[in-house]
Amino acid sequence: MRRHAVRSLSLLAVTATAALSVAAAPPGVDARARDATPAKVPLAVGYGGAVSSVDADASAAGIEVLRRGGNAVDAAVATAAALGVTEPYSAGVGGGGYFVYYDARHRKVHTIDGRETAPRSATDKLFVENGQPLPFNDAVTSGLSVGVPGTPATWDTALRSWGSRSLRDVLGPAERLAHDGFAVDATFRSQTEANQARFKDFPATAALFLPGGQPPAVGSTLKNPDLARTYAELGRKGVSAVYSGGIGADIVNTVRKPPVDPAATRVVRPGDLTTADLKAYKAKPQSPTRVSYRGLDVYGMAPSSSGGTTVGEALNILERTGRLSRLSEAQYLHRFLEASRISFADRGRWVGDPAFEKVPTAGLLSRSFADSRACLIKDDAVLTSPVAPGDPYHPARCASGGKAAPTTYEGESTTHLTVADKWGNVVAYTLTIEQTGGSAITVPGRGFLLNNELTDFSFVPASPAVHDPNLPGPGKRPRSSMSPTIVLKDGRADFALGSPGGATIITTVLQVLTEHVDRGMPLVDAIAAPRASQRNAAAAQVEPAFLASDVAAELKDIGHSFADAGEIGATTGVQRLPDGRWLAAAETVRRGGGSALVVQSTTR
């Protein structure tokens, strides 16, 4: 009954979203921008390839590249660059991310770690002053929080390795979008309002995002000519313009001497980023994580991301608890929450940048370790958080590998896109500048915000008695929860997905994946379903619809505790259908709804 109800609700939401996307512009705003924006719908089916993102203009940029003969990698970079225009508070040239690619010809999955790095001068006391950790918000809005951007290097590495178009070619749609402008929606205005106090303290940021000193009106056109020129320069000169050229020099100057309004009272600490740090940066091609789940092969990001290991461990645990398809909704969600709790305990103890920490990736994903952890789950009881980590080097039934430590905070603003092409290649790409608005510092004359990614490090150990693998260090990559995921069936891409949401990314991907695979939900309905996120805390964060449901009451009776988190994540996905068509799926409501497009739409 519940699955039928969710399906009906999502179909109504598709209709409502489509209707809203073509509503009349408010008086006094530019109707031309509205008319140029494609309709925003969360479900599309057809041939020739598919793109799903949170934004209609960005998805359209990817589709344009596919229609001109580009492949999934080309389209993914084009979509990401367009998101840098329309979702500048979540992604852009000043950030980083993780790129997962399925090569249909060779039936192989590849990944790129494009995470930002700390300056080579950074120590484990990067965010400590006078013996105390800095207040989080002070650290965020500062040069201290800015890591070396990895996004341009990720684009370049992906295109050189597997693309068929030049960087200049695929940046074309985003360059035009930045020059001509896009229609401001309610989500963009709301995010601007939430950051208005920060943005006004930086003249370049205020000039771009606070026209006339106020957030832009819904329906108005926001243009970014500086970013258009930046994209044009990247197209002409390549990403060396960032890592050893003029764009990079401007980034360094901005970090070291943050351009603060003289009238501002905010204390904005400078960072210590150098041109040598930029020159030393490399996006890292590396092997993916892989687990087998219900006969499918699930591929994700290995460390420095914790996404692949934590999603993979939780799936291994869930597979060992039996067939989730035969359980009631409450029983299924209980096991999902407990598996999430356990895998987060292990993530906190063991996962960091493998260039600095000994990360037991194979052990965390082993069957023997999953067996040793799955036995902790009881159908009639709830574990007490924080749960102690297990020992993947010496798995022992229901035994811990040390003392428990709480999960550290991670910013929640990111974006995700998924792309497929007519040849069967697939990309799942999650990119970010960390929290909404990043550091709030726009590089003057360049049109993009700088990240605050280094605040993803632990400022001090989560527990003094437990080794923390995520402390800052010179050139170190902060641990991430980004979880771009591609699932294969019999060696071919079956579906792919990912989400923003900080540490909730892991539980969102896990929940959508198991709702789809185990509970039989169509992908768009699994994306629309109310979410819960247990991250080894006393209370799981849940959405209001989940909190109000009958199943929440059943789970409370077992012993679960819940806290209202508002909106969790904004998933996008693609799926290959048995007849060879592609299905693109996105959010029906979250972040104003997502945008799913295909090259050639079909109705049958």
Side-chain angles (χ1 to χ4, degrees), residues 530-603:
R531 291 191 186 132
S533 180
Q534 172 51 256
R535 306 191 302 280
N536 200 22
Q541 290 187 306
V542 299
E543 293 183 321
F546 186 100
L547 194 59
S549 67
D550 292 340
V551 74
E554 291 183 63
L555 291 165
K556 287 179 181 177
D557 289 341
I558 303 173
H560 287 280
S561 297
F562 300 121
D564 188 340
E567 189 176 275
I568 297 176
T571 305
T572 72
V574 297
Q575 180 183 7
R576 190 183 188 96
L577 301 178
D579 61 5
R581 291 181 297 165
W582 285 105
L583 178 151
E587 295 288 354
T588 57
V589 177
R590 297 180 185 96
R591 285 204 188 182
S595 173
L597 295 175
V598 292
V599 172
Q600 182 181 351
S601 180
T602 62
T603 56

